[in-house]
Amino acid sequence: MVLLIYRLLVSLAMINTHGMKKILDFQGTIEHIPDPLGLGGEISATMAILANIVAPVFIILGLGARFAALLILSVTLMGFFVVHANDPWAVRDIPLMYSLAYLLIFFLGAGAYSLDNRFFNHFKSD
């Protein structure tokens, strides 16, 4: 039950704090989002929305949680190591904290209360 609550709270925070503003102002996101890989603003914005809204929804549902966590980690770790590399720790701590939170989900999986468990029976009942 704790892992379910953890997944919900971390993912809702990601969606609310970082995802909604990106999708509600997509054009502004394209114009202002960092593009560390040189893919262009539209692709970078789309990747950020996938990592900030779509992947957290999958984690909330517990469906493909490890893969979804990898998508999020690709963005948060890029933010920590590349985008904010020269920023003070007060700025770098946000992508670091999200990276640590989703790293835990990546290693533990979605847990017993998840669609992964229901569909793929990863956790057997005693």
Side-chain angles (χ1 to χ4, degrees), residues 38-60:
L39 301 173
E42 194 166 311
I43 292 173
S44 293
T46 301
M47 289 173 55
I49 288 170
L50 286 172
N52 293 173
I53 294 181
V54 177
V57 168
F58 276 83
I59 288 175
I60 288 169

Side-chain angles (χ1 to χ4, degrees), residues 12-120:
L12 288 173
M14 174 68 84
I15 292 167
N16 185 50
T17 306
H18 300 282
M20 292 307 294
K21 66 182 177 184
K22 287 179 178 76
I23 203 164
L24 292 175
D25 183 15
F26 186 70
Q27 190 59 42
T29 300
I30 291 171
E31 293 170 7
H32 294 103
I33 197 147
D35 184 22
L37 300 177
L39 301 173
E42 194 166 311
I43 292 173
S44 293
T46 301
M47 289 173 55
I49 288 170
L50 286 172
N52 293 173
I53 294 181
V54 177
V57 168
F58 276 83
I59 288 175
I60 288 169
L61 297 172
L63 183 61
R66 285 189 164 112
F67 179 73
L70 278 178
L71 291 175
I72 296 167
L73 285 165
S74 69
V75 171
T76 58
L77 290 172
M78 181 72 69
F80 180 76
F81 286 112
V82 178
V83 175
H84 298 292
N86 296 317
D87 290 341
W89 276 100
V91 174
R92 295 179 79 201
D93 74 332
I94 294 170
L96 176 63
M97 290 295 113
Y98 276 111
S99 294
L100 294 173
Y102 285 106
L103 197 60
L104 182 65
I105 292 170
F106 174 75
F107 284 117
L108 294 179
Y113 299 101
S114 67
L115 291 178
D116 281 347
N117 181 45
R118 182 170 177 87
F119 292 147
F120 305 112

